[in-house]
Amino acid sequence: MATGFWGRILRALLKSDDSDQSPSAAPSNVTAADSVSGEHTVVAAAGLTRRAFEAPQLLPAGKQSESAGSGRQTQSNDASGSSSGRTSLAVAARREARRRARENERLRLQAIRRADRLNRDITYLGQGVSGWLNERVSDEQRLRQSGLPVLATPADVARALGISLRSLRGLAFHAEVTRLNNYVRFTIPKRSGGVRVLQAPQRRLAAVQQWILREILDRLPVSAQAQGFVRGRSVVTNAALHSGRAVVVNLDVQDFFPSIPFARVRRVFISTGYSKCVATILALVCTECPRQELTFEGRRLWVANGPRGLPQGACTSPALSNLVCLRLDRRLQGLSAQLGLVYSRYADDLTFSGPAELRQRVGAVLKCVTGILREEGLQVHPGKTRVQPRSTAQLVTGLVVNDRPGVRRDEVRRIRAILHRAAREGLQAQNRDGHPNFRAWLCGRIGWIGQSRPELGQQFLQQLNALQ
């Protein structure tokens, strides 16, 4: 029998159960009742009952199996939920893989179609110049009458040039910033000071420009006043028009070739009968932007710092300038005819000559000429306007025209003196200006004299060839 505190509690519980079974039973004595009451007080204070000390009741067999089944079902549901989650992820992954595969296939087919289109046609050549590439109707009858090749589409141009459409696109494409440069840029000193920037085309572009010059530009008529870069005309024929005149006026156009824009060059090809598409391509091949070389992130770039114009150094620029200036020559010739003057133009060098009265009206003449040039998009060079009366050496394109076209006397005397001293002292001893190739320079000066005085030029050349 348990003793102590817990023993008393157990005994009280047992007696409480007996009293529950026979409620009418009375306590045997007061002492016992008091003892039991005290024990009940302790048990109540502890908040315990006898049921708290009984073994737990087991569920019936059916209930136990049902409970176990419910637990297994819960575990099965958890397992099935996990499996379903894994299945959903796998399905989503397969869908994403199929989507990526379809996207890659779409991009591959798009690249194939684009490459095929690039090889078959040209629809874009840069911002601001591609708007007319879809207009491909040429005046075939007019082209044949002028003896020009019939071209209407980019494929026609590429076929005539003997190159691919991809190569043609590379030569004609207009870009503000580019890593590929179709021109070699260099400078040469000017007689009047400063430097002249020349742009020599690369070999592939030069070949294309030579074909355009030979097959198209050389077959187009120019004005009678254009004396430069025309077969059968030269500085001598230009100077001869102004020989023996009382007053000669010279003007120079500032930045002549770069001042002729892409739009006016394209208009020249359109006026000959070519479609706007072909005219755009030919004009892009014959023009270029002034560019500045920059280095960005270790790469050399060529950045345009001006609009497209005729490059000074391309073989097509002189012929195109004559064609662009057809209207200018007609307007200046009309003005000269009204005033009784003679007008001619050698590239950017404009010459007017007339009687002595021209000297009094020269201000009004220059004002009219300047206004016409401005309307044509050109500008007179402010420091190269000369008014030459007969009392001075009248120079036209480097030749004296007071009586007949000829080289200045001091130039002839200088070449004669060089050849005379070279016969005694040697040719190289006469190179006082330090020319890199003195013999070639001397041949050039002799050829210049020979243009206006052929017999004197031949005499000087024989003396040069006789030197050791």
Side-chain angles (χ1 to χ4, degrees):
M1 192 67 170
T3 60
F5 173 74
W6 291 108
R8 292 194 300 271
I9 293 174
L10 289 176
R11 286 193 298 272
L13 291 174
L14 291 174
K15 291 180 179 180
S16 174
D17 288 340
D18 293 341
S19 63
D20 291 339
Q21 295 175 3
S22 55
S24 59
S28 57
N29 51 49
V30 176
T31 307
D34 295 339
S35 173
V36 173
S37 176
E39 290 176 356
H40 274 293
T41 304
V42 174
V43 173
L48 299 173
T49 64
R50 185 183 176 194
R51 292 185 181 87
F53 294 91
E54 292 177 353
Q57 296 293 328
L58 297 177
L59 294 173
K63 294 290 184 178
Q64 291 180 7
S65 62
E66 183 179 347
S67 176
S70 176
R72 286 193 298 272
Q73 183 177 1
T74 302
Q75 294 177 0
S76 175
N77 289 339
D78 294 341
S80 63
S82 176
S83 175
S84 175
R86 288 194 296 271
T87 303
S88 299
L89 290 176
V91 171
R94 287 194 295 271
R95 287 178 179 173
E96 179 65 18
R98 288 195 296 269
R99 188 192 67 79
R100 290 184 178 180
R102 288 194 301 268
E103 181 67 16
N104 291 336
E105 180 66 11
R106 186 185 68 81
L107 293 176
R108 187 181 70 83
L109 294 176
Q110 182 180 357
I112 292 175
R113 288 192 297 269
R114 182 175 181 273
D116 183 59
R117 187 172 65 252
L118 291 178
N119 291 328
R120 289 186 292 104
D121 199 4
I122 295 178
T123 58
Y124 183 75
L125 286 174
Q127 185 176 5
V129 298
S130 305
W132 288 351
L133 291 178
N134 59 340
E135 301 190 23
R136 305 183 173 190
V137 179
S138 295
D139 190 344
E140 296 185 9
Q141 182 179 0
R142 185 176 180 182
L143 292 174
R144 289 192 175 96
Q145 289 176 351
S146 301
L148 302 177
V150 178
L151 309 171
T153 65
D156 295 340
V157 179
R159 193 180 305 113
L161 294 173
I163 60 177
S164 65
L165 277 173
R166 187 176 294 271
S167 297
L168 179 60
R169 183 183 295 104
L171 295 176
F173 198 87
H174 168 70
E176 296 293 331
V177 180
T178 180
R179 289 184 296 172
L180 301 177
N181 190 11
N182 290 322
Y183 289 86
V184 178
R185 290 166 171 78
F186 57 94
T187 59
I188 59 173
K190 294 182 179 180
R191 287 185 185 178
S192 57
V195 295
R196 188 187 307 277
V197 179
L198 299 181
Q199 296 172 284
Q202 301 279 7
R203 183 172 59 183
R204 285 196 313 159
L205 180 58
V208 171
Q209 290 177 347
Q210 288 169 3
W211 184 92
I212 295 174
L213 175 65
R214 181 177 63 254
E215 301 296 331
I216 299 177
L217 300 180
D218 281 348
R219 302 181 182 185
L220 298 176
V222 298
S223 67
Q225 291 74 35
Q227 296 294 314
F229 314 107
V230 180
R231 187 167 298 157
R233 306 177 192 177
S234 64
V235 293
V236 178
T237 60
N238 182 55
L241 294 173
H242 306 280
S243 296
R245 309 289 287 182
V247 180
V248 176
V249 180
N250 295 114
L251 297 92
D252 191 86
V253 179
Q254 190 171 14
D255 298 328
F256 180 59
F257 287 134
S259 297
I260 299 176
F262 159 80
R264 297 197 66 178
V265 175
R266 179 167 59 180
R267 202 174 301 137
V268 167
F269 290 109
I270 293 175
S271 65
T272 61
Y274 284 113
S275 66
K276 292 182 178 180
C277 175
V278 171
T280 298
I281 294 174
L282 296 177
L284 286 171
V285 170
C286 295
T287 58
E288 172 62 338
C289 296
R291 296 187 182 272
Q292 181 179 0
E293 183 181 358
L294 296 177
T295 302
F296 178 72
E297 294 182 352
R299 295 182 301 176
R300 188 172 66 168
L301 302 175
W302 295 93
V303 182
N305 56 5
R308 293 186 76 93
L310 292 179
Q312 192 162 357
C315 64
T316 52
S317 294
L320 282 169
S321 68
N322 285 336
L323 295 169
V324 168
C325 290
L326 271 171
R327 187 174 65 180
L328 171 68
D329 291 338
R330 285 198 298 266
R331 295 182 67 181
L332 293 179
Q333 175 59 29
L335 174 66
S336 300
Q338 290 180 357
L339 299 177
L341 307 179
V342 176
Y343 160 70
S344 68
R345 181 181 58 82
Y346 191 95
D348 60 344
D349 194 350
L350 280 59
T351 304
F352 299 86
S353 61
E357 291 79 10
L358 174 59
R359 193 168 185 180
Q360 281 75 35
R361 297 183 295 173
V362 68
V365 172
L366 291 178
K367 185 177 181 180
C368 292
V369 173
T370 302
I372 293 174
L373 287 173
R374 188 182 300 111
E375 292 173 359
E376 295 292 328
L378 302 174
Q379 186 177 355
V380 175
H381 196 295
K384 293 188 176 181
T385 300
R386 302 186 308 273
V387 179
Q388 305 172 99
R390 193 171 178 80
S391 57
T392 63
Q394 298 172 324
L395 292 176
V396 176
T397 54
L399 298 176
V400 179
V401 295
N402 290 65
D403 296 320
R404 60 188 179 93
V407 182
R408 300 182 64 165
R409 293 178 182 178
D410 55 353
E411 177 71 8
V412 174
R413 291 168 182 166
R414 182 169 67 135
I415 299 303
R416 182 180 282 117
I418 289 175
L419 293 173
H420 179 72
R421 289 192 170 189
R424 294 183 303 169
E425 304 171 2
L427 184 62
Q428 202 58 35
Q430 311 308 314
N431 188 13
R432 294 181 174 85
D433 295 331
H435 296 287
N437 190 338
F438 183 63
R439 190 180 188 92
W441 174 85
L442 191 57
C443 284
R445 301 313 301 173
I446 292 174
W448 169 245
I449 295 173
Q451 284 194 43
S452 56
R453 299 179 63 180
E455 68 290 345
L456 184 59
Q458 187 65 28
Q459 177 185 344
F460 285 165
L461 189 60
Q462 291 176 356
Q463 294 180 20
L464 177 64
N465 293 333
L467 298 175
Q468 294 294 331

